[in-house]
Amino acid sequence: MIDVSKVLKGFSTAEARWARYGPYYAMFPVDFAFEVIETYTKPGEYVLDPFAGRSSSVYAGGVLGRPSLGIEINPVGWLYGTVKLQPADKEDVIDRLMDIYNGRDHFADEAHAMPEFFQLCFCHEVLKFLLAAREGLNWRENETDATLMSIILVYLHGKLGEGLSNQLRQTKSMAPNYSVNWWKSKNMVIPPEINPLSFLLSKIKWRYDKGKPDVHNSNVVFGDSAEELQHIVRRASDNDIKFSLLFTSPPYCSVTDYHADQWLRLWALGGAEGPYTMREKHKGRFVSKDDYYSLLDNVFGLCSTVMAEQSTIYVRTDKRKFTFDSTLEILTRHYPDHMVTVLDKPLAKDTKTQTQLFGDKSLKPGEVDIILSR
Ligand SMILES: C[S@@+](CC[C@H](N)C(=O)[O-])C[C@H]1O[C@@H](n2cnc3c(N)ncnc32)[C@H](O)[C@@H]1O
Protein backbone atom coordinates (compact mmCIF):
# COMPACT_ATOMS: atom_id res chain seq x y z
CA MET A 1 0.00 0.00 0.00
CA ILE A 2 1.29 3.42 -0.94
CA ASP A 3 1.82 5.96 1.84
CA VAL A 4 0.18 9.05 0.28
CA SER A 5 1.55 11.38 2.93
CA LYS A 6 5.07 10.57 1.64
CA VAL A 7 4.05 11.48 -1.91
CA LEU A 8 2.63 14.80 -0.80
CA LYS A 9 5.44 15.84 1.51
CA GLY A 10 9.15 15.75 0.77
CA PHE A 11 11.02 13.64 -1.75
CA SER A 12 11.67 10.39 0.10
CA THR A 13 9.97 8.08 -2.41
CA ALA A 14 10.05 7.61 -6.19
CA GLU A 15 6.35 8.52 -6.37
CA ALA A 16 7.09 11.85 -4.64
CA ARG A 17 10.07 12.66 -6.86
CA TRP A 18 8.04 12.26 -10.06
CA ALA A 19 4.70 13.67 -8.79
CA ARG A 20 5.45 17.32 -9.57
CA TYR A 21 7.33 16.56 -12.75
CA GLY A 22 7.02 19.24 -15.41
CA PRO A 23 6.54 22.99 -15.00
CA TYR A 24 3.32 23.86 -16.81
CA TYR A 25 0.69 26.55 -16.63
CA ALA A 26 -2.64 26.19 -14.76
CA MET A 27 -1.69 22.94 -13.04
CA PHE A 28 -3.65 21.05 -10.42
CA PRO A 29 -1.95 21.11 -7.03
CA VAL A 30 -0.75 17.53 -6.58
CA ASP A 31 -2.40 17.06 -3.17
CA PHE A 32 -5.73 18.17 -4.65
CA ALA A 33 -5.39 15.53 -7.41
CA PHE A 34 -4.72 12.77 -4.84
CA GLU A 35 -7.59 13.89 -2.60
CA VAL A 36 -10.15 13.92 -5.41
CA ILE A 37 -9.09 10.44 -6.58
CA GLU A 38 -9.18 9.01 -3.06
CA THR A 39 -12.51 10.61 -2.22
CA TYR A 40 -14.44 9.66 -5.32
CA THR A 41 -13.01 6.30 -6.40
CA LYS A 42 -12.10 2.88 -5.01
CA PRO A 43 -8.99 1.00 -6.09
CA GLY A 44 -9.53 -0.64 -9.47
CA GLU A 45 -12.07 1.92 -10.67
CA TYR A 46 -11.33 3.84 -13.88
CA VAL A 47 -10.53 7.57 -14.12
CA LEU A 48 -10.69 9.77 -17.24
CA ASP A 49 -9.17 13.24 -17.87
CA PRO A 50 -9.76 14.61 -21.40
CA PHE A 51 -7.74 17.84 -20.75
CA ALA A 52 -4.86 16.28 -18.87
CA GLY A 53 -2.19 19.03 -18.91
CA ARG A 54 0.85 17.56 -17.17
CA SER A 55 -1.28 14.58 -16.06
CA SER A 56 -1.44 15.05 -12.29
CA SER A 57 -4.90 13.44 -12.25
CA VAL A 58 -3.71 10.42 -14.25
CA TYR A 59 -0.58 10.07 -12.12
CA ALA A 60 -2.53 10.27 -8.84
CA GLY A 61 -4.99 7.69 -10.18
CA GLY A 62 -2.21 5.36 -11.32
CA VAL A 63 -0.23 5.65 -8.09
CA LEU A 64 -3.39 4.93 -6.07
CA GLY A 65 -4.22 1.80 -8.09
CA ARG A 66 -6.97 3.30 -10.26
CA PRO A 67 -6.37 2.68 -13.98
CA SER A 68 -6.43 6.17 -15.45
CA LEU A 69 -6.52 7.61 -18.93
CA GLY A 70 -5.69 11.16 -20.01
CA ILE A 71 -5.72 13.02 -23.32
CA GLU A 72 -3.57 16.09 -23.99
CA ILE A 73 -3.13 18.10 -27.19
CA ASN A 74 -0.04 20.11 -26.16
CA PRO A 75 3.19 18.13 -26.73
CA VAL A 76 4.84 19.69 -23.68
CA GLY A 77 2.08 18.64 -21.27
CA TRP A 78 1.76 15.24 -22.94
CA LEU A 79 5.49 14.55 -22.71
CA TYR A 80 5.66 15.39 -19.00
CA GLY A 81 2.66 13.14 -18.41
CA THR A 82 3.69 10.14 -20.47
CA VAL A 83 7.19 10.19 -18.95
CA LYS A 84 6.12 10.51 -15.31
CA LEU A 85 3.73 7.57 -15.79
CA GLN A 86 6.53 5.41 -17.21
CA PRO A 87 10.05 6.85 -17.23
CA ALA A 88 12.68 4.95 -19.22
CA ASP A 89 15.55 3.25 -17.38
CA LYS A 90 18.10 5.67 -15.98
CA GLU A 91 21.10 3.99 -17.65
CA ASP A 92 19.44 4.22 -21.09
CA VAL A 93 18.65 7.89 -20.55
CA ILE A 94 22.25 8.60 -19.56
CA ASP A 95 23.59 6.72 -22.62
CA ARG A 96 21.35 8.78 -24.87
CA LEU A 97 22.41 11.99 -23.13
CA MET A 98 26.05 11.10 -23.91
CA ASP A 99 25.19 10.42 -27.59
CA ILE A 100 23.49 13.79 -27.98
CA TYR A 101 26.21 15.62 -26.07
CA ASN A 102 28.93 13.99 -28.19
CA GLY A 103 27.18 15.14 -31.38
CA ARG A 104 26.84 18.78 -30.31
CA ASP A 105 29.76 20.17 -32.32
CA HIS A 106 27.97 19.38 -35.59
CA PHE A 107 25.64 22.21 -34.63
CA ALA A 108 28.24 24.93 -34.03
CA ASP A 109 27.44 26.93 -37.18
CA GLU A 110 23.72 26.59 -36.68
CA ALA A 111 24.09 27.79 -33.08
CA HIS A 112 25.98 30.90 -34.18
CA ALA A 113 23.27 31.70 -36.72
CA MET A 114 20.38 31.58 -34.22
CA PRO A 115 18.42 34.81 -33.51
CA GLU A 116 19.53 37.21 -30.75
CA PHE A 117 17.07 35.82 -28.20
CA PHE A 118 18.80 32.43 -28.29
CA GLN A 119 22.30 33.96 -28.08
CA LEU A 120 21.37 35.85 -24.92
CA CYS A 121 19.37 32.99 -23.45
CA PHE A 122 21.82 30.08 -23.75
CA CYS A 123 25.62 29.83 -23.78
CA HIS A 124 27.14 28.34 -26.93
CA GLU A 125 27.68 24.87 -25.38
CA VAL A 126 24.04 24.68 -24.31
CA LEU A 127 22.73 25.99 -27.61
CA LYS A 128 24.71 23.41 -29.62
CA PHE A 129 23.47 20.68 -27.29
CA LEU A 130 19.84 21.82 -27.60
CA LEU A 131 20.06 21.88 -31.38
CA ALA A 132 21.52 18.34 -31.31
CA ALA A 133 18.69 17.15 -29.03
CA ARG A 134 16.07 18.90 -31.15
CA GLU A 135 17.35 17.13 -34.25
CA GLY A 136 18.27 13.77 -32.75
CA LEU A 137 15.65 12.81 -30.18
CA ASN A 138 12.66 10.87 -31.42
CA TRP A 139 10.51 11.93 -28.45
CA ARG A 140 7.19 10.95 -30.03
CA GLU A 141 8.00 7.29 -30.50
CA ASN A 142 10.93 6.28 -28.35
CA GLU A 143 10.54 5.98 -24.58
CA THR A 144 14.19 6.74 -23.79
CA ASP A 145 14.27 9.77 -26.10
CA ALA A 146 10.95 10.99 -24.65
CA THR A 147 12.37 10.75 -21.12
CA LEU A 148 15.57 12.60 -21.98
CA MET A 149 13.70 15.28 -23.94
CA SER A 150 11.24 15.83 -21.10
CA ILE A 151 14.12 16.23 -18.63
CA ILE A 152 15.62 18.84 -20.96
CA LEU A 153 12.24 20.61 -21.09
CA VAL A 154 11.91 20.69 -17.31
CA TYR A 155 15.24 22.54 -17.01
CA LEU A 156 15.12 24.46 -20.30
CA HIS A 157 14.33 27.76 -18.64
CA GLY A 158 13.84 29.18 -15.20
CA LYS A 159 15.51 31.25 -12.54
CA LEU A 160 19.18 31.95 -13.10
CA GLY A 161 21.15 28.99 -11.75
CA GLU A 162 18.20 26.58 -11.73
CA GLY A 163 17.99 25.80 -15.42
CA LEU A 164 19.95 25.89 -18.67
CA SER A 165 18.99 29.48 -19.52
CA ASN A 166 19.59 33.07 -18.62
CA GLN A 167 16.98 34.45 -16.15
CA LEU A 168 13.45 33.55 -17.34
CA ARG A 169 10.17 32.42 -15.84
CA GLN A 170 9.91 28.67 -15.44
CA THR A 171 6.25 27.85 -16.01
CA LYS A 172 5.79 29.89 -19.16
CA SER A 173 8.10 31.32 -21.81
CA MET A 174 8.11 35.07 -22.29
CA ALA A 175 8.14 36.73 -25.73
CA PRO A 176 11.63 36.94 -27.30
CA ASN A 177 11.67 40.76 -27.68
CA TYR A 178 10.44 41.27 -24.15
CA SER A 179 13.16 38.97 -22.79
CA VAL A 180 15.94 40.53 -24.87
CA ASN A 181 14.97 44.05 -23.72
CA TRP A 182 14.72 42.88 -20.15
CA TRP A 183 18.17 41.22 -20.14
CA LYS A 184 19.66 44.35 -21.74
CA SER A 185 18.01 46.66 -19.22
CA LYS A 186 19.41 44.57 -16.34
CA ASN A 187 22.83 44.22 -17.89
CA MET A 188 22.39 40.45 -18.13
CA VAL A 189 23.40 39.95 -21.73
CA ILE A 190 25.85 37.13 -21.06
CA PRO A 191 24.07 33.82 -20.52
CA PRO A 192 25.40 31.56 -17.75
CA GLU A 193 28.23 29.20 -18.76
CA ILE A 194 26.82 25.74 -18.19
CA ASN A 195 28.07 22.31 -19.19
CA PRO A 196 24.81 20.63 -20.27
CA LEU A 197 26.22 17.14 -19.70
CA SER A 198 27.19 17.56 -16.05
CA PHE A 199 24.15 19.75 -15.36
CA LEU A 200 21.68 17.19 -16.71
CA LEU A 201 23.52 14.21 -15.22
CA SER A 202 23.05 15.68 -11.76
CA LYS A 203 19.34 16.29 -12.42
CA ILE A 204 18.85 12.74 -13.73
CA LYS A 205 20.65 11.33 -10.71
CA TRP A 206 18.39 13.24 -8.31
CA ARG A 207 15.18 12.32 -10.15
CA TYR A 208 15.98 8.57 -10.22
CA ASP A 209 17.58 8.43 -6.80
CA LYS A 210 14.59 6.60 -5.28
CA GLY A 211 13.85 4.60 -8.45
CA LYS A 212 10.89 4.78 -10.79
CA PRO A 213 7.33 5.40 -9.60
CA ASP A 214 4.98 2.45 -9.27
CA VAL A 215 2.07 3.50 -11.49
CA HIS A 216 -0.78 1.11 -12.13
CA ASN A 217 -2.00 0.66 -15.71
CA SER A 218 -2.34 4.33 -16.67
CA ASN A 219 -1.70 6.22 -19.85
CA VAL A 220 -1.98 9.60 -21.56
CA VAL A 221 -2.85 9.88 -25.23
CA PHE A 222 -1.32 12.65 -27.38
CA GLY A 223 -4.06 14.30 -29.41
CA ASP A 224 -7.31 16.21 -29.58
CA SER A 225 -9.96 14.84 -27.21
CA ALA A 226 -12.68 15.64 -29.68
CA GLU A 227 -11.12 13.00 -31.96
CA GLU A 228 -9.35 10.66 -29.58
CA LEU A 229 -12.45 10.12 -27.46
CA GLN A 230 -14.22 8.56 -30.40
CA HIS A 231 -11.63 5.74 -30.44
CA ILE A 232 -11.66 5.54 -26.66
CA VAL A 233 -15.44 5.22 -26.58
CA ARG A 234 -15.25 2.35 -29.09
CA ARG A 235 -12.48 0.55 -27.19
CA ALA A 236 -14.21 1.00 -23.84
CA SER A 237 -17.41 -0.46 -25.24
CA ASP A 238 -15.54 -3.44 -26.84
CA ASN A 239 -13.89 -4.16 -23.48
CA ASP A 240 -16.93 -3.46 -21.31
CA ILE A 241 -15.17 -0.67 -19.43
CA LYS A 242 -16.99 2.14 -17.64
CA PHE A 243 -15.20 5.05 -15.95
CA SER A 244 -16.10 5.95 -12.37
CA LEU A 245 -14.58 9.42 -12.26
CA LEU A 246 -14.27 12.13 -14.87
CA PHE A 247 -11.73 14.48 -13.34
CA THR A 248 -10.51 17.39 -15.42
CA SER A 249 -9.90 21.08 -15.91
CA PRO A 250 -10.72 22.29 -19.42
CA PRO A 251 -9.09 25.33 -21.01
CA TYR A 252 -10.82 28.57 -20.00
CA CYS A 253 -12.46 30.61 -22.75
CA SER A 254 -10.19 33.42 -24.03
CA VAL A 255 -7.69 33.09 -21.17
CA THR A 256 -4.63 30.98 -21.91
CA ASP A 257 -2.82 30.08 -25.10
CA TYR A 258 -1.05 26.92 -23.96
CA HIS A 259 0.96 26.70 -27.16
CA ALA A 260 2.19 30.33 -27.21
CA ASP A 261 2.95 30.12 -23.47
CA GLN A 262 5.22 27.12 -24.03
CA TRP A 263 6.81 28.38 -27.23
CA LEU A 264 10.42 27.87 -26.13
CA ARG A 265 9.81 24.27 -25.07
CA LEU A 266 7.85 23.70 -28.29
CA TRP A 267 10.86 25.07 -30.19
CA ALA A 268 13.05 22.49 -28.46
CA LEU A 269 10.60 19.85 -29.67
CA GLY A 270 11.08 21.03 -33.27
CA GLY A 271 8.63 23.96 -33.43
CA ALA A 272 8.97 27.58 -34.52
CA GLU A 273 11.53 30.11 -33.19
CA GLY A 274 8.86 32.30 -31.59
CA PRO A 275 5.46 32.34 -29.85
CA TYR A 276 3.27 32.19 -32.89
CA THR A 277 -0.32 31.44 -32.05
CA MET A 278 -1.35 28.33 -33.88
CA ARG A 279 -4.22 28.58 -36.27
CA GLU A 280 -4.99 24.90 -35.91
CA LYS A 281 -8.12 23.87 -34.07
CA HIS A 282 -7.92 23.82 -30.25
CA LYS A 283 -4.34 25.17 -30.21
CA GLY A 284 -4.93 28.88 -29.56
CA ARG A 285 -6.51 31.01 -26.86
CA PHE A 286 -10.06 29.72 -27.40
CA VAL A 287 -11.32 33.17 -28.30
CA SER A 288 -14.29 32.00 -30.38
CA LYS A 289 -17.16 31.37 -27.98
CA ASP A 290 -18.88 29.08 -30.49
CA ASP A 291 -15.79 26.91 -30.95
CA TYR A 292 -15.17 26.83 -27.22
CA TYR A 293 -18.74 25.82 -26.47
CA SER A 294 -18.77 23.09 -29.10
CA LEU A 295 -15.43 21.68 -27.86
CA LEU A 296 -16.78 21.30 -24.33
CA ASP A 297 -20.13 20.02 -25.56
CA ASN A 298 -18.48 17.47 -27.81
CA VAL A 299 -15.91 16.28 -25.27
CA PHE A 300 -18.22 16.08 -22.25
CA GLY A 301 -20.90 14.49 -24.45
CA LEU A 302 -18.51 11.75 -25.63
CA CYS A 303 -17.26 11.22 -22.07
CA SER A 304 -20.83 10.75 -20.82
CA THR A 305 -21.17 7.62 -22.99
CA VAL A 306 -18.35 5.85 -21.12
CA MET A 307 -19.20 6.88 -17.56
CA ALA A 308 -20.69 4.37 -15.09
CA GLU A 309 -24.17 5.09 -13.79
CA GLN A 310 -22.88 5.85 -10.27
CA SER A 311 -20.02 8.02 -11.52
CA THR A 312 -18.68 11.37 -10.34
CA ILE A 313 -17.83 14.26 -12.64
CA TYR A 314 -15.33 16.67 -11.07
CA VAL A 315 -14.50 19.74 -13.17
CA ARG A 316 -12.34 22.64 -12.07
CA THR A 317 -12.89 25.72 -14.19
CA ASP A 318 -12.98 29.49 -14.45
CA LYS A 319 -15.53 31.57 -12.58
CA ARG A 320 -15.91 34.03 -15.44
CA LYS A 321 -19.42 34.04 -16.77
CA PHE A 322 -19.17 32.51 -20.22
CA THR A 323 -16.87 29.64 -19.25
CA PHE A 324 -18.76 28.88 -16.05
CA ASP A 325 -22.29 29.14 -17.49
CA SER A 326 -21.42 27.05 -20.55
CA THR A 327 -19.67 24.37 -18.53
CA LEU A 328 -22.50 24.07 -16.02
CA GLU A 329 -25.17 24.00 -18.73
CA ILE A 330 -23.28 21.39 -20.80
CA LEU A 331 -22.56 19.15 -17.81
CA THR A 332 -26.09 19.22 -16.43
CA ARG A 333 -27.45 18.42 -19.89
CA HIS A 334 -25.15 15.43 -20.39
CA TYR A 335 -25.61 14.12 -16.84
CA PRO A 336 -29.31 14.83 -16.20
CA ASP A 337 -29.62 12.35 -13.30
CA HIS A 338 -26.60 13.59 -11.32
CA MET A 339 -26.79 16.05 -8.44
CA VAL A 340 -24.76 19.25 -8.87
CA THR A 341 -22.54 20.91 -6.27
CA VAL A 342 -20.63 24.11 -6.97
CA LEU A 343 -17.71 25.10 -4.75
CA ASP A 344 -16.87 28.65 -5.54
CA LYS A 345 -15.32 30.26 -2.53
CA PRO A 346 -13.20 29.45 0.48
CA LEU A 347 -15.34 27.75 3.06
CA ALA A 348 -15.64 28.13 6.80
CA LYS A 349 -13.16 26.08 8.83
CA ASP A 350 -15.84 23.91 10.46
CA THR A 351 -17.24 22.62 7.16
CA LYS A 352 -17.49 18.87 7.40
CA THR A 353 -17.07 17.15 4.06
CA GLN A 354 -13.74 16.43 2.50
CA THR A 355 -14.97 17.81 -0.81
CA GLN A 356 -15.58 21.16 0.75
CA LEU A 357 -12.31 21.08 2.64
CA PHE A 358 -10.10 20.72 -0.36
CA GLY A 359 -12.11 23.37 -2.15
CA ASP A 360 -10.86 25.57 0.65
CA LYS A 361 -7.21 24.64 0.29
CA SER A 362 -6.46 24.54 -3.37
CA LEU A 363 -8.78 26.80 -5.36
CA LYS A 364 -7.02 29.76 -6.91
CA PRO A 365 -8.97 33.02 -6.95
CA GLY A 366 -11.22 32.99 -9.97
CA GLU A 367 -11.62 29.22 -10.04
CA VAL A 368 -14.64 27.12 -9.27
CA ASP A 369 -15.27 23.39 -8.89
CA ILE A 370 -18.37 21.81 -10.41
CA ILE A 371 -19.12 18.35 -9.04
CA LEU A 372 -21.85 16.07 -10.32
CA SER A 373 -22.57 12.90 -8.43
CA ARG A 374 -25.26 10.30 -7.81
C1 LIG B 1 -6.44 23.91 -17.52
S1 LIG B 1 -5.29 22.95 -18.42
C2 LIG B 1 -5.28 21.41 -17.53
C3 LIG B 1 -4.21 21.41 -16.48
C4 LIG B 1 -4.13 20.06 -15.74
N1 LIG B 1 -5.27 19.88 -14.86
C5 LIG B 1 -2.83 19.96 -14.95
O1 LIG B 1 -2.84 19.71 -13.75
O2 LIG B 1 -1.75 20.12 -15.57
C6 LIG B 1 -6.19 22.53 -19.88
C7 LIG B 1 -5.41 21.63 -20.84
O3 LIG B 1 -6.30 21.23 -21.89
C8 LIG B 1 -5.50 21.05 -23.06
N2 LIG B 1 -6.42 21.02 -24.21
C9 LIG B 1 -7.07 22.05 -24.78
N3 LIG B 1 -7.85 21.62 -25.80
C10 LIG B 1 -7.68 20.27 -25.87
C11 LIG B 1 -8.22 19.26 -26.70
N4 LIG B 1 -9.08 19.57 -27.68
N5 LIG B 1 -7.85 17.99 -26.49
C12 LIG B 1 -6.96 17.68 -25.51
N6 LIG B 1 -6.42 18.60 -24.68
C13 LIG B 1 -6.77 19.88 -24.85
C14 LIG B 1 -4.56 22.25 -23.01
O4 LIG B 1 -3.43 22.04 -23.84
C15 LIG B 1 -4.23 22.31 -21.52
O5 LIG B 1 -3.07 21.57 -21.24
Side-chain angles (χ1 to χ4, degrees):
M1 264 296 271
I2 178 98
D3 180 348
V4 177
S5 66
K6 287 195 172 160
V7 182
L8 303 181
K9 239 187 175 169
F11 295 103
S12 63
T13 65
E15 287 72 28
R17 291 222 169 177
W18 291 87
R20 288 162 193 80
Y21 190 67
Y24 200 59
Y25 209 58
M27 322 174 266
F28 281 157
V30 170
D31 53 350
F32 164 72
F34 275 81
E35 284 185 78
V36 171
I37 300 280
E38 278 199 307
T39 306
Y40 293 103
T41 57
K42 297 192 196 70
E45 290 184 339
Y46 287 79
V47 178
L48 180 60
D49 182 348
F51 301 105
R54 65 172 190 164
S55 281
S56 292
S57 55
V58 183
Y59 184 83
V63 166
L64 292 169
R66 282 73 162 166
S68 300
L69 180 62
I71 309 164
E72 174 54 51
I73 201 170
N74 188 310
V76 175
W78 172 75
L79 203 52
Y80 291 151
T82 194
V83 167
K84 80 172 67 147
L85 296 170
Q86 202 171 2
D89 287 343
K90 178 181 161 188
E91 292 68 29
D92 293 341
V93 178
I94 292 176
D95 284 351
R96 203 65 185 108
L97 171 63
M98 303 290 286
D99 285 348
I100 297 291
Y101 181 73
N102 290 335
R104 72 195 184 289
D105 284 336
H106 296 297
F107 294 85
D109 292 345
E110 210 182 311
H112 278 303
M114 289 298 285
E116 188 181 23
F117 167 85
F118 290 87
Q119 310 292 342
L120 303 194
C121 191
F122 303 112
C123 71
H124 194 56
E125 275 295 289
V126 169
L127 196 46
K128 284 187 301 183
F129 170 81
L130 292 176
L131 288 164
R134 186 172 183 268
E135 176 90 12
L137 293 178
N138 180 9
W139 54 268
R140 277 173 198 262
E141 281 156 18
N142 179 292
E143 195 184 271
T144 305
D145 285 14
T147 304
L148 175 57
M149 184 50 107
S150 71
I151 290 169
I152 295 171
L153 295 189
V154 168
Y155 298 103
L156 187 65
H157 55 86
K159 265 197 193 151
L160 199 56
E162 290 179 9
L164 293 163
S165 72
N166 204 339
Q167 177 79 26
L168 277 177
R169 273 177 75 171
Q170 193 198 25
T171 45
K172 96 182 215 182
S173 1
M174 311 309 283
N177 282 347
Y178 172 88
S179 307
V180 167
N181 290 336
W182 192 87
W183 290 322
K184 287 183 175 168
S185 75
K186 306 277 181 218
N187 220 0
M188 292 174 78
V189 289
I190 303 192
E193 266 316 315
I194 292 166
N195 176 322
L197 177 62
S198 49
F199 179 89
L200 290 169
L201 275 175
S202 73
K203 301 299 181 191
I204 292 170
K205 191 173 171 310
W206 181 84
R207 189 70 63 181
Y208 280 87
D209 203 36
K210 306 290 171 191
K212 301 205 285 182
D214 187 8
V215 180
H216 178 80
N217 198 12
S218 296
N219 187 21
V220 55
V221 174
F222 181 28
D224 186 335
S225 303
E227 285 165 25
E228 298 300 332
L229 274 167
Q230 301 184 23
H231 312 300
I232 290 166
V233 166
R234 217 171 306 129
R235 281 208 306 275
S237 142
D238 289 349
N239 294 297
D240 246 346
I241 287 173
K242 289 282 183 194
F243 290 82
S244 298
L245 174 64
L246 169 59
F247 176 28
T248 197
S249 175
Y252 305 163
C253 191
S254 262
V255 175
T256 303
D257 182 334
Y258 293 92
H259 282 75
D261 282 354
Q262 292 297 335
W263 77 264
L264 190 50
R265 293 189 172 101
L266 289 171
W267 166 78
L269 295 178
E273 288 171 9
Y276 308 113
T277 296
M278 301 226 181
R279 298 224 162 77
E280 290 164 59
K281 216 171 177 194
H282 306 150
K283 295 186 181 172
R285 197 175 294 279
F286 299 92
V287 281
S288 153
K289 288 186 172 168
D290 287 349
D291 287 354
Y292 181 77
Y293 185 94
S294 65
L295 171 66
L296 293 198
D297 196 17
N298 194 357
V299 167
F300 287 130
L302 283 164
C303 288
S304 70
T305 66
V306 292
M307 298 308 294
E309 214 173 287
Q310 300 297 324
S311 57
T312 301
I313 319 302
Y314 198 114
V315 176
R316 173 158 287 186
T317 192
D318 189 18
K319 249 190 216 173
R320 273 166 281 201
K321 191 168 169 46
F322 183 77
T323 297
F324 176 72
D325 288 354
S326 310
T327 310
L328 189 60
E329 188 269 313
I330 288 167
L331 289 173
T332 46
R333 180 157 44 76
H334 287 299
Y335 301 90
D337 298 326
H338 280 58
M339 259 179 43
V340 183
T341 310
V342 175
L343 298 177
D344 75 339
K345 52 176 168 308
L347 294 146
K349 286 233 164 47
D350 57 3
T351 333
K352 294 284 184 315
T353 74
Q354 250 189 313
T355 317
Q356 288 164 328
L357 283 175
F358 51 69
D360 196 12
K361 273 190 285 181
S362 56
L363 275 178
K364 296 191 197 86
E367 288 184 322
V368 61
D369 288 350
I370 303 174
I371 305 153
L372 292 88
S373 49
R374 290 198 64 181

